[in-house]
């Protein structure tokens, strides 16, 4: 009963059997909705479900609160330059591809996270760990994690599947003026990060392209700095909590 406002974050991509039975209920619900909010225009284009309801779908990106980040004054948690990955060690994050790409570089990589692929990462990254190029850390406390974002050279989000619907972790790097290397998924990931503007975008699972992008940013600090400055501007212009709440409130008032 009443009016329905839906936020659509991601399609079901892996549980295909469940989706087969769930789809009629899902489409029934979307037909009943008065307004659908998608978190990026890419999702509207790529989702087979939202395509049928484009006329009542609008885009309101996810956002972060800048004041929760920019006043962080913690010193660097690491004694040398490093690139950063933050996320769960699961199939769609591209962590195995990241390890293989890192082997083709000379950079130092810190991976913060936990998950079922941790042992595989430790095994495949053994040579990198011995050479002190790879550090694996569990999830950190909020302030310490922000310190890792603040002092990294750039963030890498090498996701391989559309289960990665947006990548808020990109914003957590961009707010500290850090560029991002991400993948060209049919989701909000390449909407957040713009190729050659706020970072670099490569095709999913393309290890050669990923390693080239990592080398490019690692070896060109001026370019990295410029992309990072652009990343901060894009983040604070489009992806703030204030904008997300304001636009959502405007929609509610019109319902």
């Amino acid at each position: 009963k009443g009016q329905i406002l839906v936020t659509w974050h991601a399609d079901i991509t892996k549980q295909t059997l469940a989706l087969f039975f769930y789809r009629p209920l899902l489409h029934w619900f979307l037909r009943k909705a008065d307004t659908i909010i998608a978190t990026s225009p890419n999702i509207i284009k790529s989702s087979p479900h939202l395509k049928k309801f484009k006329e009542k779908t609008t885009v309101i990106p996810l956002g972060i609160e800048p004041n929760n980040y920019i006043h962080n004054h913690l010193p660097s948690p690491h004694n040398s330059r490093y690139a950063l990955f933050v996320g769960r060690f699961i199939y769609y994050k591209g962590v195995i591809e990241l390890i293989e790409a890192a082997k083709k570089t000379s950079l130092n990589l810190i991976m913060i996270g936990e998950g079922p692929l941790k042992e595989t990462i430790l095994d495949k990254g053994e040579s990198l760990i011995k050479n002190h190029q790879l550090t694996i850390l569990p999830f950190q406390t909020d302030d310490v994690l922000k310190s890792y974002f603040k002092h990294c050279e750039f963030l890498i989000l090498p996701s391989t599947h559309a289960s990665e619907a947006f990548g808020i972790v990109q914003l957590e790097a961009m707010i500290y003026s850090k560029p991002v290397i991400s993948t060209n998924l049919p989701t909000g990931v390449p909407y957040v990060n713009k190729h050659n503007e706020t970072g670099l975008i490569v095709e999913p699972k393309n290890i050669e392209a990923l390693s080239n992008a990592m080398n490019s940013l690692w070896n060109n600090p001026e370019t990295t700095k410029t992309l990072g400055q652009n990343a901060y501007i894009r983040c604070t212009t489009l992806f703030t909590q204030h904008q997300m709440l304001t636009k959502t409130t405007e929609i509610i008032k019109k319902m």
Side-chain angles (χ1 to χ4, degrees), residues 163-175:
S163 301
E164 188 74 78
F166 191 86
I168 287 182
V169 68
Q170 296 182 104
L171 303 181
E172 296 184 287
M174 293 165 73
I175 198 67

Side-chain angles (χ1 to χ4, degrees), residues 30-90:
L30 291 176
R31 280 194 297 272
K32 286 196 56 145
D34 295 276
T35 302
I36 302 168
I37 295 173
T39 55
S40 76
N42 299 23
I43 290 290
I44 300 176
K45 293 176 184 176
S46 64
S47 171
H49 311 290
L50 292 187
K51 285 178 181 177
K52 301 177 181 180
F53 305 99
K54 280 195 286 189
E55 72 284 350
K56 59 179 179 181
T57 303
T58 188
V59 175
I60 301 180
L62 301 177
I64 61 173
E65 174 48 63
N67 290 328
N68 290 342
Y69 295 85
I70 58 177
H71 298 304
N72 173 255
H73 299 297
L74 289 176
S76 176
H78 202 66
N79 57 10
S80 60
R81 296 171 66 211
Y82 61 91
L84 183 66
F85 168 90
V86 177
R88 292 185 63 211
F89 299 154
I90 51 178

Side-chain angles (χ1 to χ4, degrees), residues 122-137:
L122 291 171
D123 179 54
K124 291 186 176 294
E126 184 179 7
S127 61
L128 293 171
I129 295 170
K130 286 181 177 178
N131 291 335
H132 306 289
Q133 276 187 262
L134 175 62
T135 303
I136 309 293
L137 298 173

